[in-house]
Amino acid sequence: EWLQGENACKQGAVKKGIAYYEQGLRRLGNRVPRTRVGFALGAARELLVQGFHTLFPKRLHKKPMSRELALTSELLVGVSQPYFFSDMLKLGWSHLRGLNLAEELPPSRQLAFHYSHHSCFISMTFAWYSRAHRHSERSAELRRGLNDVWGTGHTNSYQGLGLYGAARYEDAIEYFLKAIDAFNQAGDMWDLNLARFH
């Protein structure tokens, strides 16, 4: 379902892709809201958890990784991208749920994704540029440590989006060019074209 969701979204069938991701999350025992009120309450809960994580960072990364948690994190990564372009409330829930879960687990490429996604989200939605920069740098550091070429492109692309939202256009272009180079090396034409578009 994770792969079907990714394939559907990359073929432009966004609603179908979201349905696959949500079905996969539910199959693993995760509660995925079905109503706008449910998503609002879920996002509020995850916002409180994120506040706790921000205030007590030494309590992070204590939960051991399992196959189910790794897949849950991947599904939350997957569903947050089409939500980004379709529904801000659902995005708020999935984004914060994914970030919170990834911060409870050992450092991983999923955590690097969520840090870069958080950087873009917090910059464009709340103009909180200092927090955005901190999370983008954390993502870049994790990507370097993992020697993750595709991930470096992703981090640069999302940092470019955040800088664009901050009206720092020259800096944004610099990061998009770095993203294009990394996606070219990784052979991902979808994300390369998206970085070019931005």
Side-chain angles (χ1 to χ4, degrees):
E1 286 161 339
W2 169 64
L3 290 172
Q4 288 175 314
E6 185 173 5
N7 286 335
C9 286
K10 288 191 175 185
Q11 293 172 8
V14 175
K15 288 183 181 179
K16 187 176 181 183
I18 288 171
Y20 280 126
Y21 288 130
E22 289 178 349
Q23 184 176 325
L25 286 165
R26 288 185 181 109
R27 188 181 307 280
L28 288 170
N30 297 283
R31 184 182 175 282
V32 179
R34 296 182 188 272
T35 65
R36 306 256 334 135
V37 171
F39 278 106
L41 292 173
R45 180 194 177 283
E46 296 303 332
L47 187 59
L48 289 173
V49 172
Q50 184 52 212
F52 182 79
H53 285 190
T54 301
L55 292 172
F56 303 103
K58 290 186 179 181
R59 303 199 56 171
L60 302 179
H61 312 299
K62 302 291 186 190
K63 190 182 284 189
M65 181 67 82
S66 70
R67 291 175 64 190
E68 290 80 10
L69 290 173
L71 184 53
T72 296
S73 187
E74 284 288 353
L75 286 161
L76 287 163
V77 164
V79 78
S80 66
Q81 292 181 315
Y83 280 164
F84 196 89
F85 298 104
S86 62
D87 192 309
M88 288 301 288
L89 182 59
K90 291 179 178 183
L91 170 63
W93 168 79
S94 67
H95 165 66
L96 290 169
R97 178 68 197 117
L99 177 61
N100 291 337
L101 175 63
E103 285 186 331
E104 292 171 1
L105 301 171
S108 63
R109 65 183 191 83
Q110 293 96 340
L111 179 60
F113 170 88
H114 286 295
Y115 278 160
S116 64
H117 195 253
H118 188 65
S119 170
C120 178
F121 178 80
I122 209 78
S123 176
M124 295 181 80
T125 308
F126 299 105
W128 194 351
Y129 303 120
S130 60
R131 183 176 175 91
H133 180 72
R134 279 194 311 273
H135 281 78
S136 183
E137 289 301 312
R138 289 176 187 167
S139 176
E141 184 180 331
L142 277 170
R143 299 294 194 186
R144 283 191 297 272
L146 295 168
N147 196 26
D148 183 356
V149 174
W150 178 89
T152 298
H154 177 269
T155 295
N156 286 329
S157 187
Y158 273 63
Q159 189 162 14
L161 285 170
L163 290 165
Y164 181 83
R168 292 176 50 191
Y169 304 121
E170 291 81 10
D171 294 333
I173 290 170
E174 180 183 334
Y175 277 95
F176 286 131
L177 290 172
K178 289 179 186 178
I180 289 167
D181 184 51
F183 288 137
N184 191 41
Q185 288 179 48
D188 187 330
M189 297 308 293
W190 171 269
D191 282 310
L192 185 149
N193 287 331
L194 196 57
R196 279 187 180 147
F197 171 79
H198 290 129

